Amino acid sequence: MIPSQKPDLRVRFCGIELRNPIIAASGTFGYGMEFEDILALDKIGAFVTKGLSKEPMPGNPPPRLIETAAGMLNAIGLQNVGVQAFVENKLPAIQRLPCPAIANVFGSSIEDYCAVIHALNAAEGIAAYELNASCPNTHSGGMVFGTDATTLYELVLRAKSVARRPLIVKLSPNVTSIAIMARAAAEAGADAISLINTFLGISIDANTRRPRLANVTGGLSGPAIKPMALRMVYQAARAVSIPILGMGGITTTEDAIEFMLAGATAVQVGTASYADPRAVERIANGLQPWCSRHHIEKISSLTRGLNMNAE
Ligand SMILES: Cc1cc2nc3c(=O)[nH]c(=O)nc-3n(C[C@H](O)[C@H](O)[C@H](O)COP(=O)(O)O)c2cc1C
């Protein structure tokens, strides 16, 4: 690389071009505009909205967030304004933001998922859909969509037939084989997959003998899950050829690079924004110097670039 030349940080997946591969993760970045005065949104790749459902949801009773060793347990309960209020009240402001928005979608039945996608299809200002498959399927006795390959396949197939935008399928880590789930999503027509969502966990207060979360169980995120997330991205990358958005515990630029080497085209940053609300921008700002230091001309060349040779 000519010393004065800046590394090319752009990445492309399912027809979307991002200025860099750092995306703010769903549920940790509101509806995007809440962060407008906190960080420079024109420095990040994109953001994913809080999960959107057909009807508004109040979420779970408190306490809903508990800090754990190197992480956090949350049981927010998918609180959101509902897709209609999102389109009417949030989307006009989102359209003015200087980075692409990805809409995170969920439901408790396939019909609900499709209804949300249908409502979003007609609206402007969304780059892609991210399907959160970590919800209990009320029609199948509460089985989580993302933990059964057949159910996931059916959900993705139907969602893809409705979606007029690229469909990213977000996988749950609470499975025996992430490769099987990645393949089910890809075979059903997913344009990309994102992983991982949170790990199911519990926090108990020994003194009171009570669970710390009102919901008892919650989703574990943050640095505590990074090695498992990296392993799952690596395994998914060997199972499918569609693009992968990797996440789970990313707090530094180097963490983001590690996920790209394991197989990710771009990455998402979630819990880190709780400790440092400017984390997404900070991580993105570190890419240019990191690439220059390592003589990387195009950051996209790092994807699946894990060196398996012994030293
Ligand atoms: C408070 C909180 C709320 C979340 N809400 C959603 C959500 O609505 N939809 C979704 O797909 N993932 C949601 N997630 C999962 C994150 O997007 C991400 O997959 C997970 O936290 C792992 O990344 P991290 O370790 O960088 O946070 C949420 C995570 C947290 C911590």
Side-chain angles (χ1 to χ4, degrees):
M1 187 168 62
I2 309 159
S4 62
Q5 205 176 319
K6 278 189 174 174
D8 183 355
L9 300 182
R10 289 171 304 172
V11 294
R12 223 168 204 290
F13 60 91
C14 43
I16 306 164
E17 186 176 285
L18 304 185
R19 63 170 67 89
N20 66 55
I22 310 298
I23 303 170
S26 179
T28 63
F29 212 71
Y31 299 101
M33 63 268 203
E34 295 90 337
F35 280 76
E36 211 175 355
D37 297 330
I38 296 172
L39 54 84
L41 288 169
D42 61 353
K43 294 282 188 285
I44 72 172
F47 72 91
V48 186
T49 68
K50 175 74 193 151
L52 298 165
S53 53
K54 197 173 147 200
E55 306 294 340
M57 284 181 58
N60 290 327
R64 316 198 288 185
L65 277 182
I66 293 290
E67 201 174 329
T68 61
M72 191 167 94
L73 268 178
N74 93 82
I76 302 295
L78 296 166
Q79 175 184 357
N80 79 105
V81 296
V83 70
Q84 221 47 59
F86 171 79
V87 170
E88 283 162 25
N89 307 328
K90 309 284 183 192
L91 208 46
I94 289 176
Q95 285 162 0
R96 292 194 292 270
L97 299 178
C99 69
I102 297 169
N104 184 278
V105 168
F106 73 94
S108 56
S109 67
I110 291 181
E111 290 70 30
D112 279 3
Y113 275 94
C114 292
V116 178
I117 293 172
H118 185 73
L120 293 171
N121 273 339
E124 295 288 320
I126 298 164
Y129 303 131
E130 180 179 62
L131 208 67
N132 176 5
S134 303
C135 298
N137 177 0
T138 49
H139 290 186
S140 301
M143 175 194 285
V144 174
F145 281 103
T147 56
D148 177 75
T150 310
T151 321
L152 181 68
Y153 180 88
E154 276 167 30
L155 170 65
V156 177
L157 195 68
R158 291 273 298 281
K160 178 66 186 165
S161 73
V162 177
R164 297 216 197 108
R165 295 190 167 99
L167 188 69
I168 304 160
V169 176
K170 185 164 178 179
L171 301 180
S172 166
N174 302 305
V175 296
T176 312
S177 165
I178 198 74
I180 289 175
M181 306 311 288
R183 256 185 242 118
E187 281 164 16
D191 297 295
I193 50 173
S194 57
L195 64 152
I196 55 175
N197 211 314
T198 54
F199 277 93
L200 261 192
I202 296 183
S203 173
I204 293 173
D205 182 333
N207 295 314
T208 61
R209 301 188 179 199
R210 300 181 70 82
R212 287 199 171 92
L213 290 170
N215 190 56
V216 185
T217 61
L220 183 65
S221 60
I225 69 171
K226 197 188 100 182
M228 294 182 283
L230 269 175
R231 183 264 296 175
M232 288 185 158
V233 167
Y234 171 75
Q235 289 177 327
R238 297 183 140 209
V240 298
S241 55
I242 53 175
I244 295 174
L245 310 186
M247 80 200 89
I250 295 177
T251 56
T252 66
T253 300
E254 290 210 348
D255 290 340
I257 303 287
E258 290 171 26
F259 274 81
M260 293 186 74
L261 293 172
T265 297
V267 302
Q268 296 187 18
V269 176
T271 301
S273 294
Y274 279 77
D276 168 13
R278 299 186 60 192
V280 191
E281 183 189 353
R282 173 177 51 76
I283 292 166
N285 286 343
L287 295 174
Q288 196 83 254
W290 192 93
C291 287
S292 296
R293 237 181 6 260
H294 292 84
H295 310 290
I296 303 295
E297 281 177 44
K298 287 175 186 283
I299 200 161
S300 57
S301 69
L302 294 175
T303 298
R304 296 171 182 261
L306 192 60
N307 182 357
M308 301 297 279
N309 298 327
E311 246 183 275

